[in-house]
Amino acid sequence: MLPSAREKLVLQGAVSGELGLPAAALPLFSFVAVALFISLYLLTMRPTPRSLLRILVPVKRCVDYAVKIRVNAQQTGVETNVKHSMNPFDEIAVEEAVRLRERMKDSIKGITAVTIGPSKAQETLRTALAMGADDAVHVEVPESANVEPLAVAKLLRAVIEKKGPYELVILGKQAIDDDAGQTGQMLAGLMGWGQATFASKLEVDEAKGSVDVTREVDGGLEQIRVKLPAIITADLRLNEPRYASLPNIMKAKKKPLEKFKPEDLGVDITPRLQVLKVTEPPKRVGGQKVENVDELIAKLKEAGVLPGAA
Amino acid sequence: MFLRPVAILRPTLTRLYATPAQPSTLLYLEHAGGKITGGSLSALTAAKALGGDVTGILVGSNEQVDDVLPKATKVEGLTKILASRSPSYSHAVPEALVPLFAKLVQEKGFTHLFSSTSSTSKSLLPRLAAQLDVQPISDVTSISLESDGDVYTRPIYAGNAISTVKPTFEGIRIITVRGTAFPQATTGSSEAPVEEVNPIELSEVPTEHLKTMATESSRPELGSSDIVVSGGRALKSAKIFDETLTPLADKLGAAIGASRAAVDAGYADNSLQVGQTGKIVAPSLYIAVGISGAIQHLAGMKDSKVIVAINKDPDAPIFQVADAGLVADLFAAVPELVNKLPDRK
């Protein structure tokens, strides 16, 4: 253990006294000692700010992607008494955070999963913890609350301010329930950070303090470099998420989970869009079969969709 | 049940937040390869549905703007075009563009900002909306201006439900438009006046564009093609995918699409994926070859006028939406179809 600064001063004073040095030398000695101590402390005990990254991964509890959804009778939404799971794009985001740590072990200090949702959304956080997140934050809202991306982005900003600093936030590119695809970009806008949407590959360069991201854009791919801190949204092809193993699911139950309410974070979650109604899309009258290729072509001619054959 | 208080408040709310009688819309004119994108032309049609003036905003490098501007002024329906040139605008990096858009919106008092649902707009507009403290509306499929305000519909849950929403806030409505839901505005003899707008040069942009890896294709663009031929996992390999679908697409003058399974397996490029997370298409004719028809795929093509499915599994869900389903081995049926199809004039 290093002696505290004061102990060191006393020590130095005693030594100088014993050696019979003039009393005027004492402040000089103390100054040198303090300077030495501070530089030693800086060199050994404090990490340089960028060498230890903290990652925040927001996740959402959604109706499971395989469920055939049904609009409710009141036309206010869909039936939600069905299987839920983590939004598939968020699984990819969690996976990427965990893989970053596996790739650059000593550089990732921690991975925090955060969700905004009803009490049941805790299951989703436990899944993220079982996949490899270290701790979790649950911003609890009533079951009936419709929290829009703007409010979610504001809540996430508040979580970053409360629990940060975070250098990297990895989100899914969209939630498969509201299909909005806005939250990551909105958070980046609120924070004033760089953003990389629709990421299919990312490489963190600690030395430069940046991350190189390959993005899936209309017509191909694009590569960009974003300075940290940055917001990344994950596309489907970023990775293949792992399954949580039983031992990890058990361990996840013991990992810390902190709860907040929107009021604690000072965020108003009142919706800005009024949902007038939710309806079924028009039904297709499909289901007709043809026997062979000739019949198929006849049918297409009849429908007038063949070029030059009308 | 929690909607009730809102319903009671509604008359007051709507009086407070009613849109001005005459909307003033800013339309983001996206361009690619020296042309205004089809999506932006559809977004213009959508913006016109609101009534009022529509001002286009065109941004890019000096050369890009020079290249596109003469074509942009000819687009029917634009009241005016704002053009802003800067090397930092050449790749539409949102961090570089948001300050310009924010300034224009605030200074010129636009009530609405429209764009297509493209990867560029999806990145840019929500960032802008957050800075303006408004909730944007994504991928809108219909618009109406009613006496008590503007109303939008948009698909949710992979298109399995349609949500009708009304903004209840003051401030600009930021809307991305699903291109396939609106016809494209035409180019004619009109000559929209142009106003050059000074770019906003930032001392530091956190994001730098390194390179673009475009998928080269001589085919029609997937999102706007009138005919799409799509392949799935049953195509077995990239080589077989190409060999099977290319002759059919050539004969029909069609764009080629793919299911997620085909893309994940490496048979086709990512940019060809049709579905909830890929491209949304609504051509006159969609031919699904060896595609089972998962919910996520149907989300991207079920608004097509005529759907044809060729699959050897008679129980594949794709047959439930197909107007003409052929239960057959695609490796025999597709070549036969290519042979028997009439030649294009």
Side-chain angles (χ1 to χ4, degrees):
Chain A
M1 277 298 287
L2 282 167
S4 79
R6 200 201 285 170
E7 274 169 350
K8 212 164 186 176
L9 280 180
V10 171
L11 215 68
Q12 296 284 4
V15 170
S16 66
E18 250 171 62
L19 288 177
L21 288 173
L26 226 148
L28 185 73
F29 250 106
S30 320
F31 176 77
V32 171
V34 169
L36 246 170
F37 179 72
I38 290 175
S39 46
L40 202 84
Y41 175 75
L42 282 178
L43 278 173
T44 55
M45 318 256 302
R46 261 180 51 159
T48 49
R50 265 201 194 108
S51 67
L52 286 178
L53 299 176
R54 291 182 72 212
I55 306 178
L56 183 70
V57 189
V59 296
K60 184 176 187 182
R61 174 180 179 265
C62 294
V63 170
D64 189 85
Y65 73 95
V67 169
K68 178 119 184 59
I69 64 113
R70 237 178 261 256
V71 172
N72 65 23
Q74 307 89 315
Q75 294 204 327
T76 55
V78 305
E79 294 288 352
T80 51
N81 199 10
V82 293
K83 187 188 173 199
H84 282 65
S85 48
M86 192 191 297
N87 177 37
F89 292 100
D90 301 346
E91 286 184 358
I92 296 170
V94 176
E95 176 68 29
E96 195 62 20
V98 175
R99 283 190 194 190
L100 276 178
R101 172 152 61 197
E102 287 166 355
R103 267 205 318 259
M104 31 194 295
K105 255 194 183 61
D106 305 324
S107 313
I108 308 290
K109 191 177 168 195
I111 301 170
T112 305
V114 52
T115 200
I116 293 145
S119 55
K120 284 177 193 154
Q122 253 194 52
E123 296 160 20
T124 308
L125 281 179
R126 292 291 171 199
T127 307
L129 291 169
M131 286 174 75
D134 303 304
D135 60 342
V137 173
H138 182 193
V139 181
E140 194 169 349
V141 297
E143 180 96 41
S144 59
N146 163 28
V147 192
E148 293 170 346
L150 178 63
V152 171
K154 287 179 178 175
L155 289 167
L156 292 176
R157 173 177 63 181
V159 168
I160 292 172
E161 280 161 5
K162 205 151 196 142
K163 300 279 293 172
Y166 291 99
E167 287 74 28
L168 206 52
V169 183
I170 311 180
L171 308 90
K173 75 163 178 178
Q174 76 191 70
I176 59 161
D177 48 9
D178 67 8
D179 281 332
Q182 300 166 348
T183 304
Q185 298 88 305
M186 296 187 94
L187 179 61
L190 292 177
M191 302 298 297
W193 293 0
Q195 66 179 50
T197 48
F198 322 133
S200 61
K201 190 175 175 216
L202 60 95
E203 275 171 278
V204 176
D205 187 331
E206 296 168 80
K208 288 202 191 90
S210 64
V211 49
D212 283 7
V213 181
T214 304
R215 305 178 55 222
E216 296 202 6
V217 295
D218 297 339
L221 299 171
E222 175 183 276
Q223 206 184 20
I224 61 172
R225 178 167 297 160
V226 195
K227 281 213 183 72
L228 298 176
I231 311 277
I232 315 270
T233 75
D235 214 320
L236 265 182
R237 272 163 288 273
L238 185 58
N239 60 48
E240 191 80 39
R242 71 195 61 194
Y243 290 103
S245 67
L246 188 61
N248 285 343
I249 292 170
M250 300 311 288
K251 272 187 229 159
K253 292 186 178 169
K254 297 201 184 83
K255 289 185 180 176
L257 190 153
E258 200 175 343
K259 277 196 182 191
F260 294 104
K261 293 230 181 295
E263 307 88 86
D264 307 334
L265 299 170
V267 177
D268 176 12
I269 60 164
T270 313
R272 305 283 193 95
L273 301 177
Q274 183 190 355
V275 178
L276 299 179
K277 63 178 177 192
V278 173
T279 50
E280 298 270 353
K283 283 261 178 295
R284 277 196 82 91
V285 278
Q288 294 133 2
K289 290 205 175 128
V290 292
E291 285 305 311
N292 52 47
V293 170
D294 295 317
E295 263 187 47
L296 175 60
I297 292 174
K299 190 133 190 173
L300 294 181
K301 279 185 182 161
E302 189 192 320
V305 289
L306 280 188
Chain B
M1 86 225 99
F2 88 89
L3 276 176
R4 183 154 295 162
V6 179
I8 293 166
L9 277 174
R10 212 178 127 191
T12 356
L13 278 177
T14 46
R15 216 169 298 134
L16 267 173
Y17 295 125
T19 326
Q22 197 63 307
S24 165
T25 302
L26 183 65
L27 170 73
Y28 178 27
L29 292 170
E30 295 173 69
H31 52 90
K35 284 192 340 202
I36 301 291
T37 64
S40 289
L41 297 174
S42 295
L44 173 54
T45 305
K48 294 302 282 182
L50 273 181
D53 287 349
V54 181
T55 304
I57 167 90
L58 184 66
V59 294
S61 67
N62 204 20
E63 303 77 51
Q64 285 173 333
V65 172
D66 276 345
D67 208 16
V68 184
L69 196 53
K71 293 164 204 160
T73 55
K74 298 264 183 305
V75 174
E76 303 274 7
L78 287 172
T79 316
K80 185 160 89 173
I81 294 177
L82 306 174
S84 195
R85 308 147 183 269
S86 164
S88 61
Y89 294 164
S90 57
H91 296 288
V93 171
E95 292 87 325
L97 286 177
V98 160
L100 174 72
F101 276 66
K103 181 167 181 266
L104 289 175
V105 164
Q106 281 158 347
E107 282 182 358
K108 303 201 181 252
F110 291 108
T111 58
H112 294 74
L113 169 55
F114 273 61
S115 86
S116 74
T117 309
S118 67
S119 57
T120 302
S121 291
K122 286 195 284 185
S123 302
L124 173 71
L125 266 52
R127 187 183 177 97
L128 172 70
Q131 292 193 351
L132 299 173
D133 195 31
V134 297
Q135 172 58 47
I137 310 176
S138 300
D139 213 17
V140 159
T141 49
S142 81
I143 293 167
S144 59
L145 185 61
E146 291 169 15
S147 56
D148 60 349
D150 39 353
V151 173
Y152 304 86
T153 67
R154 56 179 303 269
I156 54 175
Y157 291 91
N160 288 297
I162 308 294
S163 176
T164 305
V165 296
K166 185 162 94 174
T168 56
F169 55 88
E170 281 182 88
I172 188 163
R173 279 73 163 112
I174 296 187
I175 313 288
T176 62
V177 172
R178 177 173 288 202
T180 57
F182 298 89
Q184 294 182 6
T186 51
T187 297
S189 54
S190 62
E191 192 62 51
V194 177
E195 183 189 329
E196 294 282 343
V197 175
N198 287 334
I200 297 180
E201 301 294 353
L202 304 174
S203 55
E204 197 185 12
V205 179
T207 304
E208 175 195 353
H209 178 271
L210 299 178
K211 62 178 170 187
T212 302
M213 295 145 279
T215 310
E216 294 300 330
S217 172
S218 53
R219 304 196 166 283
E221 203 263 314
L222 179 60
S224 55
S225 179
D226 200 41
I227 302 182
V228 174
V229 172
S230 253
R233 203 202 308 268
L235 273 307
K236 288 181 181 155
S237 76
K239 189 160 171 283
I240 300 174
F241 188 95
D242 277 343
E243 285 172 359
T244 313
L245 296 189
T246 305
L248 181 58
D250 283 346
K251 188 119 187 194
L252 291 166
I256 291 185
S259 72
R260 182 186 167 190
V263 172
D264 280 353
Y267 306 167
D269 191 80
N270 297 341
S271 58
L272 300 187
Q273 184 176 328
V274 171
Q276 183 183 20
T277 64
K279 283 262 167 44
I280 311 285
V281 301
S284 311
L285 175 59
Y286 186 90
I287 305 184
V289 178
I291 292 176
S292 64
I295 296 172
Q296 290 77 14
H297 185 76
L298 299 183
M301 45 65 84
K302 68 178 176 186
D303 292 327
S304 305
K305 192 172 159 219
V306 174
I307 296 174
V308 169
I310 302 175
N311 202 307
K312 67 179 174 193
D313 173 11
D315 299 323
I318 190 81
F319 287 122
Q320 289 162 23
V321 298
D323 302 285
L326 177 61
V327 181
D329 177 12
L330 70 94
F331 296 107
V334 173
E336 188 186 345
L337 181 60
V338 173
N339 272 332
K340 290 183 173 169
L341 275 174
D343 282 323
R344 278 192 291 155
K345 276 172 200 157

